Amino acid sequence: MSKLGAGIREYMMDIVSKENVLSDEPMNKHTTFQVGGKADTFITVDTYEQLSKIIVFLRRLEEDYFILGNGSNLLVGDKGYDGVVIHLGKDFQKIETDGNKITFGAAVLLSKAANVAAKNSLTGMEFASGIPGSIGGAVVMNAGAYGGEMNRIITSVKVMNIEGDVMTLDNA
C-alpha cells in the first residue's frame, strides 16, 4: 500500500491529472529488463511546468523521487521503490528540426534520434542507433560507442535544477 497520503496524491493529481498518478505501480512494466517491485507512486509529467511543480513539491516534503527515462539498464529490487518515480511524457518526447540542428526532448529514444538525424542527412549520431536508452540519460552519462560520444554532437542542453528552474547550458 502506498505511503503517500491522499491529500498529497490529490495535490499531484491537480498538477498532472488523475490518470497520470498511479499507486503501487509495478516497475517491471517500465524497465528493459522487465524486473522489479512496485513504485510507491508513479507519476507521468507532460510539461516542464508540471515537472518543476512536482519536484519543488516533493523536495519541500523531503520525499524521495527518481526521474525515469527509458528504464534501460535499470534494476529495481523486488521490494520496489519507496518514493515517487517521475516518468517524462509528451513535451519530453518532442523532436524539432531546423536546418543542420535537431532538438530532442530528454525522453526521445536514442534509436529514434539517430534515425531522425540520418533522415535529415546529419552525421554524428550513428553510434547511438544501437544504444537502448533515451537522450536525457545519454547526455548525463555521455553515452558513446564505436568512437562516437554525446559530447561530440551536443551544442547545448536545457536542464532543470533541483529548485525547478530551467536553464540552458552550452557544451563547454
Side-chain angles (χ1 to χ4, degrees), residues 95 102-104 108-118 121-131 133-135 138-139 143-146 148-150 152-154:
I95 300 171
I102 305 175
T103 303
F104 296 107
V108 172
L109 295 178
L110 286 171
S111 57
K112 185 172 186 176
N115 286 336
V116 169
S121 301
L122 298 175
T123 62
M125 284 210 67
E126 297 85 358
F127 74 91
S129 65
I131 300 174
S134 58
I135 290 289
V139 170
Y146 311 111
E149 292 180 326
M150 294 304 291
R152 295 181 185 163
I153 59 173
I154 293 172

Short mmCIF file of all heavy atoms in Angstrom, two decimals, residues 95 102-104 108-118 121-131 133-135 138-139 143-146 148-150 152-154:
data_model
loop_
_atom_site.label_atom_id
_atom_site.label_comp_id
_atom_site.label_asym_id
_atom_site.label_seq_id
_atom_site.Cartn_x
_atom_site.Cartn_y
_atom_site.Cartn_z
N ILE A 95 10.58 16.30 -30.96
CA ILE A 95 11.74 16.42 -31.84
C ILE A 95 11.48 17.61 -32.77
O ILE A 95 10.43 17.68 -33.40
CB ILE A 95 11.93 15.14 -32.69
CG1 ILE A 95 12.15 13.93 -31.78
CG2 ILE A 95 13.09 15.32 -33.67
CD1 ILE A 95 12.15 12.61 -32.51
N ILE A 102 19.09 19.66 -34.69
CA ILE A 102 17.92 18.93 -34.23
C ILE A 102 17.85 19.08 -32.71
O ILE A 102 18.86 18.92 -32.02
CB ILE A 102 17.97 17.44 -34.59
CG1 ILE A 102 18.18 17.24 -36.10
CG2 ILE A 102 16.69 16.74 -34.14
CD1 ILE A 102 18.37 15.80 -36.51
N THR A 103 16.67 19.37 -32.22
CA THR A 103 16.44 19.45 -30.78
C THR A 103 15.60 18.26 -30.37
O THR A 103 14.51 18.05 -30.91
CB THR A 103 15.73 20.77 -30.41
OG1 THR A 103 16.52 21.87 -30.88
CG2 THR A 103 15.53 20.89 -28.90
N PHE A 104 16.13 17.50 -29.40
CA PHE A 104 15.43 16.31 -28.91
C PHE A 104 15.04 16.50 -27.46
O PHE A 104 15.82 17.02 -26.66
CB PHE A 104 16.36 15.08 -28.97
CG PHE A 104 16.79 14.68 -30.35
CD1 PHE A 104 18.08 14.92 -30.77
CD2 PHE A 104 15.90 14.07 -31.22
CE1 PHE A 104 18.50 14.54 -32.05
CE2 PHE A 104 16.30 13.69 -32.49
CZ PHE A 104 17.60 13.93 -32.90
N VAL A 108 13.25 11.14 -25.69
CA VAL A 108 13.35 10.57 -27.03
C VAL A 108 14.36 9.42 -27.00
O VAL A 108 15.46 9.55 -26.47
CB VAL A 108 13.79 11.64 -28.06
CG1 VAL A 108 14.09 11.03 -29.42
CG2 VAL A 108 12.72 12.72 -28.18
N LEU A 109 13.98 8.29 -27.56
CA LEU A 109 14.88 7.14 -27.63
C LEU A 109 16.06 7.45 -28.55
O LEU A 109 15.90 8.08 -29.59
CB LEU A 109 14.15 5.91 -28.14
CG LEU A 109 13.03 5.37 -27.23
CD1 LEU A 109 12.36 4.16 -27.89
CD2 LEU A 109 13.59 4.99 -25.87
N LEU A 110 17.24 6.98 -28.17
CA LEU A 110 18.44 7.21 -28.97
C LEU A 110 18.30 6.64 -30.38
O LEU A 110 18.74 7.25 -31.35
CB LEU A 110 19.66 6.62 -28.28
CG LEU A 110 20.16 7.39 -27.08
CD1 LEU A 110 21.22 6.59 -26.34
CD2 LEU A 110 20.70 8.74 -27.48
N SER A 111 17.67 5.48 -30.49
CA SER A 111 17.49 4.87 -31.82
C SER A 111 16.64 5.78 -32.71
O SER A 111 16.95 5.96 -33.89
CB SER A 111 16.87 3.49 -31.70
OG SER A 111 15.63 3.56 -31.00
N LYS A 112 15.61 6.37 -32.15
CA LYS A 112 14.75 7.29 -32.91
C LYS A 112 15.52 8.55 -33.28
O LYS A 112 15.42 9.06 -34.39
CB LYS A 112 13.50 7.63 -32.11
CG LYS A 112 12.51 8.47 -32.88
CD LYS A 112 11.20 8.64 -32.13
CE LYS A 112 10.19 9.37 -33.00
NZ LYS A 112 8.89 9.46 -32.34
N ALA A 113 16.31 9.07 -32.32
CA ALA A 113 17.10 10.27 -32.57
C ALA A 113 18.09 10.02 -33.71
O ALA A 113 18.25 10.86 -34.61
CB ALA A 113 17.83 10.69 -31.30
N ALA A 114 18.76 8.86 -33.70
CA ALA A 114 19.71 8.54 -34.75
C ALA A 114 19.02 8.44 -36.11
O ALA A 114 19.55 8.90 -37.13
CB ALA A 114 20.44 7.23 -34.42
N ASN A 115 17.81 7.86 -36.14
CA ASN A 115 17.05 7.76 -37.38
C ASN A 115 16.65 9.13 -37.91
O ASN A 115 16.72 9.38 -39.11
CB ASN A 115 15.81 6.88 -37.20
CG ASN A 115 16.15 5.42 -37.11
OD1 ASN A 115 17.19 4.97 -37.59
ND2 ASN A 115 15.28 4.65 -36.47
N VAL A 116 16.23 10.02 -37.02
CA VAL A 116 15.85 11.38 -37.44
C VAL A 116 17.06 12.11 -38.00
O VAL A 116 16.97 12.79 -39.03
CB VAL A 116 15.22 12.16 -36.26
CG1 VAL A 116 15.07 13.63 -36.60
CG2 VAL A 116 13.87 11.56 -35.89
N ALA A 117 18.21 11.97 -37.35
CA ALA A 117 19.43 12.61 -37.84
C ALA A 117 19.76 12.08 -39.24
O ALA A 117 20.07 12.87 -40.15
CB ALA A 117 20.58 12.36 -36.87
N ALA A 118 19.69 10.77 -39.43
CA ALA A 118 20.01 10.17 -40.73
C ALA A 118 19.04 10.66 -41.81
O ALA A 118 19.46 11.01 -42.92
CB ALA A 118 19.97 8.65 -40.64
N SER A 121 19.97 13.91 -43.16
CA SER A 121 21.33 13.92 -43.71
C SER A 121 22.35 14.52 -42.77
O SER A 121 23.30 15.18 -43.21
CB SER A 121 21.34 14.65 -45.07
OG SER A 121 20.47 14.03 -45.98
N LEU A 122 22.17 14.30 -41.48
CA LEU A 122 23.12 14.78 -40.48
C LEU A 122 23.89 13.60 -39.91
O LEU A 122 23.32 12.57 -39.58
CB LEU A 122 22.38 15.53 -39.36
CG LEU A 122 21.63 16.78 -39.81
CD1 LEU A 122 20.82 17.36 -38.66
CD2 LEU A 122 22.58 17.82 -40.36
N THR A 123 25.19 13.77 -39.79
CA THR A 123 26.03 12.69 -39.29
C THR A 123 26.41 12.96 -37.83
O THR A 123 26.25 14.06 -37.33
CB THR A 123 27.31 12.56 -40.13
OG1 THR A 123 28.06 13.77 -40.02
CG2 THR A 123 26.99 12.26 -41.58
N GLY A 124 26.91 11.93 -37.19
CA GLY A 124 27.40 12.05 -35.82
C GLY A 124 26.65 11.20 -34.82
O GLY A 124 27.18 10.88 -33.77
N MET A 125 25.39 10.85 -35.13
CA MET A 125 24.60 10.06 -34.18
C MET A 125 24.54 8.59 -34.54
O MET A 125 23.85 7.82 -33.88
CB MET A 125 23.17 10.60 -34.08
CG MET A 125 23.08 11.86 -33.27
SD MET A 125 21.50 12.06 -32.42
CE MET A 125 21.52 10.76 -31.22
N GLU A 126 25.29 8.17 -35.53
CA GLU A 126 25.24 6.77 -35.95
C GLU A 126 25.54 5.83 -34.79
O GLU A 126 24.90 4.78 -34.66
CB GLU A 126 26.24 6.52 -37.09
CG GLU A 126 25.97 7.29 -38.36
CD GLU A 126 26.56 8.71 -38.35
OE1 GLU A 126 27.16 9.13 -37.33
OE2 GLU A 126 26.40 9.40 -39.37
N PHE A 127 26.48 6.19 -33.96
CA PHE A 127 26.87 5.33 -32.82
C PHE A 127 25.71 5.06 -31.88
O PHE A 127 25.68 4.03 -31.20
CB PHE A 127 28.01 5.98 -32.02
CG PHE A 127 27.58 7.15 -31.17
CD1 PHE A 127 27.18 6.95 -29.86
CD2 PHE A 127 27.56 8.43 -31.68
CE1 PHE A 127 26.78 8.01 -29.07
CE2 PHE A 127 27.15 9.51 -30.90
CZ PHE A 127 26.77 9.29 -29.59
N ALA A 128 24.74 5.95 -31.82
CA ALA A 128 23.65 5.86 -30.85
C ALA A 128 22.53 4.93 -31.29
O ALA A 128 21.68 4.58 -30.47
CB ALA A 128 23.10 7.26 -30.57
N SER A 129 22.52 4.53 -32.53
CA SER A 129 21.37 3.77 -33.04
C SER A 129 21.14 2.45 -32.32
O SER A 129 20.02 1.97 -32.25
CB SER A 129 21.52 3.52 -34.55
OG SER A 129 22.63 2.70 -34.79
N GLY A 130 22.18 1.86 -31.74
CA GLY A 130 22.02 0.58 -31.05
C GLY A 130 22.00 0.68 -29.54
O GLY A 130 21.95 -0.34 -28.85
N ILE A 131 22.03 1.89 -29.00
CA ILE A 131 22.04 2.05 -27.55
C ILE A 131 20.59 2.14 -27.06
O ILE A 131 19.85 3.02 -27.50
CB ILE A 131 22.85 3.30 -27.13
CG1 ILE A 131 24.30 3.18 -27.59
CG2 ILE A 131 22.78 3.49 -25.61
CD1 ILE A 131 25.15 4.42 -27.34
N GLY A 133 18.60 3.47 -24.87
CA GLY A 133 18.33 4.47 -23.85
C GLY A 133 17.66 5.68 -24.45
O GLY A 133 17.28 5.71 -25.62
N SER A 134 17.54 6.72 -23.64
CA SER A 134 16.93 7.96 -24.09
C SER A 134 17.97 9.08 -24.09
O SER A 134 19.05 8.96 -23.50
CB SER A 134 15.75 8.33 -23.19
OG SER A 134 16.17 8.45 -21.84
N ILE A 135 17.64 10.15 -24.76
CA ILE A 135 18.55 11.29 -24.89
C ILE A 135 18.99 11.81 -23.52
O ILE A 135 20.18 12.05 -23.29
CB ILE A 135 17.89 12.43 -25.70
CG1 ILE A 135 17.74 12.03 -27.17
CG2 ILE A 135 18.65 13.73 -25.56
CD1 ILE A 135 19.04 11.98 -27.96
N ALA A 138 21.51 9.56 -21.90
CA ALA A 138 22.72 9.54 -22.72
C ALA A 138 23.55 10.80 -22.50
O ALA A 138 24.78 10.74 -22.44
CB ALA A 138 22.36 9.40 -24.20
N VAL A 139 22.88 11.93 -22.37
CA VAL A 139 23.59 13.19 -22.14
C VAL A 139 24.24 13.18 -20.75
O VAL A 139 25.41 13.53 -20.61
CB VAL A 139 22.64 14.40 -22.29
CG1 VAL A 139 23.30 15.68 -21.81
CG2 VAL A 139 22.19 14.54 -23.74
N ALA A 143 26.95 9.03 -23.12
CA ALA A 143 26.92 7.73 -23.78
C ALA A 143 27.74 7.76 -25.06
O ALA A 143 27.82 8.78 -25.75
CB ALA A 143 25.47 7.35 -24.10
N GLY A 144 28.34 6.63 -25.34
CA GLY A 144 29.13 6.53 -26.55
C GLY A 144 29.36 5.09 -26.95
O GLY A 144 29.22 4.17 -26.15
N ALA A 145 29.71 4.91 -28.21
CA ALA A 145 30.04 3.60 -28.75
C ALA A 145 30.71 3.81 -30.10
O ALA A 145 30.47 4.84 -30.76
CB ALA A 145 28.78 2.74 -28.91
N TYR A 146 31.52 2.88 -30.50
CA TYR A 146 32.14 2.88 -31.83
C TYR A 146 32.85 4.20 -32.14
O TYR A 146 32.81 4.69 -33.27
CB TYR A 146 31.10 2.57 -32.91
CG TYR A 146 30.27 1.36 -32.60
CD1 TYR A 146 28.92 1.48 -32.29
CD2 TYR A 146 30.84 0.10 -32.59
CE1 TYR A 146 28.16 0.36 -31.98
CE2 TYR A 146 30.09 -1.04 -32.28
CZ TYR A 146 28.76 -0.89 -31.98
OH TYR A 146 28.02 -1.99 -31.67
N GLY A 148 32.09 7.21 -31.14
CA GLY A 148 31.25 8.40 -31.03
C GLY A 148 30.82 8.61 -29.59
O GLY A 148 30.72 7.65 -28.82
N GLU A 149 30.59 9.85 -29.23
CA GLU A 149 30.12 10.19 -27.88
C GLU A 149 29.17 11.37 -27.97
O GLU A 149 29.28 12.20 -28.87
CB GLU A 149 31.30 10.60 -26.97
CG GLU A 149 32.23 9.48 -26.63
CD GLU A 149 33.37 9.97 -25.74
OE1 GLU A 149 33.82 11.13 -25.89
OE2 GLU A 149 33.79 9.17 -24.89
N MET A 150 28.28 11.45 -27.01
CA MET A 150 27.30 12.54 -26.98
C MET A 150 27.97 13.90 -26.93
O MET A 150 27.52 14.84 -27.59
CB MET A 150 26.34 12.37 -25.79
CG MET A 150 25.44 11.16 -25.86
SD MET A 150 24.40 11.06 -27.34
CE MET A 150 23.27 12.42 -27.05
N ARG A 152 30.39 15.04 -28.33
CA ARG A 152 30.92 15.48 -29.63
C ARG A 152 29.84 16.02 -30.55
O ARG A 152 30.15 16.62 -31.57
CB ARG A 152 31.65 14.33 -30.31
CG ARG A 152 32.88 13.89 -29.55
CD ARG A 152 33.58 12.78 -30.28
NE ARG A 152 34.69 12.29 -29.47
CZ ARG A 152 35.29 11.15 -29.66
NH1 ARG A 152 34.89 10.36 -30.65
NH2 ARG A 152 36.27 10.77 -28.88
N ILE A 153 28.58 15.78 -30.23
CA ILE A 153 27.49 16.20 -31.13
C ILE A 153 26.53 17.19 -30.49
O ILE A 153 25.68 17.75 -31.16
CB ILE A 153 26.71 14.98 -31.66
CG1 ILE A 153 26.12 14.16 -30.52
CG2 ILE A 153 27.60 14.12 -32.55
CD1 ILE A 153 25.20 13.04 -30.96
N ILE A 154 26.67 17.44 -29.20
CA ILE A 154 25.77 18.34 -28.49
C ILE A 154 26.32 19.76 -28.52
O ILE A 154 27.50 19.99 -28.27
CB ILE A 154 25.59 17.90 -27.03
CG1 ILE A 154 24.86 16.58 -26.96
CG2 ILE A 154 24.88 18.96 -26.21
CD1 ILE A 154 24.82 15.97 -25.59
#
